[in-house]
Amino acid sequence: MIENKLLDLENTWKGFKDCIVYKIIKEDERVTSLYIKSLDGGKLPGFTAGQFIAVRMKNQDNTYTKPRQYTLSLNSNEEFYRISVKSEENGFLSKKLCNEIQIGDKIQITVPIGNFVLKNGDEPLVLIGGGIGVTPMLAMAYDAVKSGRKIYLIYSIPNSKNHSFKEEINDLSKNNKNLITTVFYTRPEENDVLLKDFDISGRISLEWMQETLPKNGEFYFCGPLEFMKAIYKNLVKIGIGKENINYEMFKSGEDITK
Ligand SMILES: Cc1cc2nc3c(=O)[nH]c(=O)nc-3n(C[C@H](O)[C@H](O)[C@H](O)COP(=O)(O)OP(=O)(O)OC[C@H]3O[C@@H](n4cnc5c(N)ncnc54)[C@H](O)[C@@H]3O)c2cc1C
């Protein structure tokens, strides 16, 4: 059974609610984390790791932008939400959120929703994030470390320029012996140091998955389309049952299983 913490009905709302951005952190060249509080000072509803909110902003002519979805990248607390946004080339809202927004600006958000959440169980958990697709994995890792379950957090990025959450993940791993992290750089820069900045050079290969990942694990992944297709194919090849393969697409319209 999926536990959904959205039970605190007093703190929920319908549609969009005014919130304020009170902290902005540049995670890397293209990813920015926004810390959001309710404008009226009220508590925010709890959520289940992996869920997302829809976000919109006011345009200069007082209309609103189209809403876009952003995963909550820290686990649940009642005071604030954190979203982490990658500035997409030609993207409208993502660019505004990464490049224009200032501390104190208002944005509007929905309550957290989504079914990409951890299933109950105590089998090993394998969380695989490609690029900005690491956001649900991070929230899930924060939640799951408390359970004592063995967790593999695998993170693939081009190189140090795209290495968001580096210290945060290192700290999480240092403080939780049940969490094993592996960072892949697909295109390391000259100054990137193997076994210091990253663990493995190249893509997450079938052979590595075969040798390293637990066959009795529950698997969750998210990332760019080609990454997702490759991970899905490899999981099936190493014998993982489809009932243990869970994923979320940030861009709809493609079937990664074909
Ligand atoms: C459930 C869910 C959770 C998400 N969580 C996050 C998150 O945590 N962080 C995050 O940065 N994004 C996340 N996204 C993606 C986000 O909702 C937007 O799609 C993205 O920020 C682009 O919006 P935009 O308005 O800037 O782009 P648009 O103006 O809508 O699109 C402009 C251009 O960007 C391209 N584009 C649109 N969306 C994407 C995309 N997702 N990937 C690559 N190119 C795209 C379009 O093809 C187009 O060429 C999530 C999406 C979903 C469905």
Side-chain angles (χ1 to χ4, degrees):
M1 197 185 74
I2 291 169
E3 183 197 2
N4 193 326
K5 293 180 191 149
L6 263 181
L7 298 173
D8 187 3
L9 292 175
E10 269 183 34
N11 295 327
T12 62
W13 60 89
K14 279 198 176 134
F16 286 88
K17 177 186 173 83
D18 275 330
C19 284
I20 191 160
V21 174
Y22 74 95
K23 184 161 122 183
I24 301 175
I25 302 285
K26 283 261 167 237
E27 303 287 359
D28 71 36
E29 278 190 350
R30 287 182 64 185
V31 176
T32 302
S33 286
L34 304 178
Y35 290 73
I36 302 161
K37 275 186 178 176
S38 164
L39 186 66
D40 59 18
K43 288 184 173 168
L44 293 169
F47 63 92
T48 303
Q51 290 191 307
F52 61 86
I53 53 175
V55 174
R56 68 180 190 182
M57 280 177 75
K58 226 176 211 174
N59 293 310
Q60 278 180 345
D61 63 2
N62 268 348
T63 58
Y64 282 96
T65 63
K66 279 190 188 156
R68 293 283 177 261
Q69 298 81 10
Y70 294 99
T71 307
L72 296 162
S73 59
L74 263 183
N75 57 337
S76 186
N77 71 78
E78 290 180 332
E79 303 305 322
F80 68 89
Y81 290 156
R82 182 181 77 174
I83 56 170
S84 303
V85 182
K86 179 181 171 193
S87 172
E88 295 292 350
E89 233 166 280
N90 306 319
F92 188 74
L93 187 59
S94 64
K95 281 204 159 156
K96 272 183 171 295
L97 293 173
C98 289
N99 308 326
E100 289 176 24
I101 208 155
Q102 306 278 328
I103 289 174
D105 282 354
K106 275 191 226 163
I107 61 172
Q108 288 201 324
I109 69 169
T110 61
V111 292
I113 45 169
N115 298 324
F116 184 55
V117 295
L118 295 175
K119 296 174 190 165
N120 287 340
D122 45 23
E123 52 288 289
L125 204 54
V126 183
L127 310 173
I128 312 176
I132 193 60
V134 77
T135 51
M137 304 309 144
L138 198 50
M140 287 176 179
Y142 273 112
D143 236 23
V145 285
K146 294 178 269 172
S147 70
R149 227 168 148 172
K150 190 160 189 182
I151 306 158
Y152 297 76
L153 176 62
I154 300 141
Y155 185 17
S156 174
I157 46 231
N159 50 54
S160 53
K161 287 187 173 158
N162 317 90
H163 199 160
S164 294
F165 313 113
K166 185 176 178 185
E167 279 180 24
E168 194 176 321
I169 292 175
N170 283 345
D171 285 350
L172 191 65
S173 166
K174 258 188 244 152
N175 296 330
N176 294 282
K177 296 286 162 259
N178 54 332
L179 175 67
I180 301 164
T181 60
T182 311
V183 175
F184 284 76
Y185 277 6
T186 53
R187 298 190 299 274
E189 298 263 288
E190 215 175 304
N191 294 332
D192 293 344
V193 181
L194 185 66
L195 301 181
K196 180 169 168 276
D197 298 313
F198 65 109
D199 302 300
I200 300 179
S201 178
R203 294 188 171 190
I204 304 171
S205 68
L206 174 65
E207 294 68 33
W208 183 85
M209 289 173 78
Q210 176 82 51
E211 278 165 22
T212 321
L213 300 181
K215 302 297 172 296
N216 63 336
E218 191 69 35
F219 292 76
Y220 296 80
F221 62 100
C222 181
L225 183 62
E226 291 311 315
F227 166 92
M228 297 202 48
K229 283 185 174 171
I231 299 292
Y232 183 85
K233 204 160 103 191
N234 288 347
L235 288 176
V236 172
K237 273 194 188 154
I238 66 173
I240 308 302
K242 293 191 178 155
E243 67 284 4
N244 301 118
I245 301 181
N246 312 274
Y247 56 87
E248 173 125 280
M249 309 280 294
F250 279 1
K251 213 174 163 195
S252 56
E254 288 274 353
D255 182 356
I256 64 159
T257 66
K258 300 273 161 61

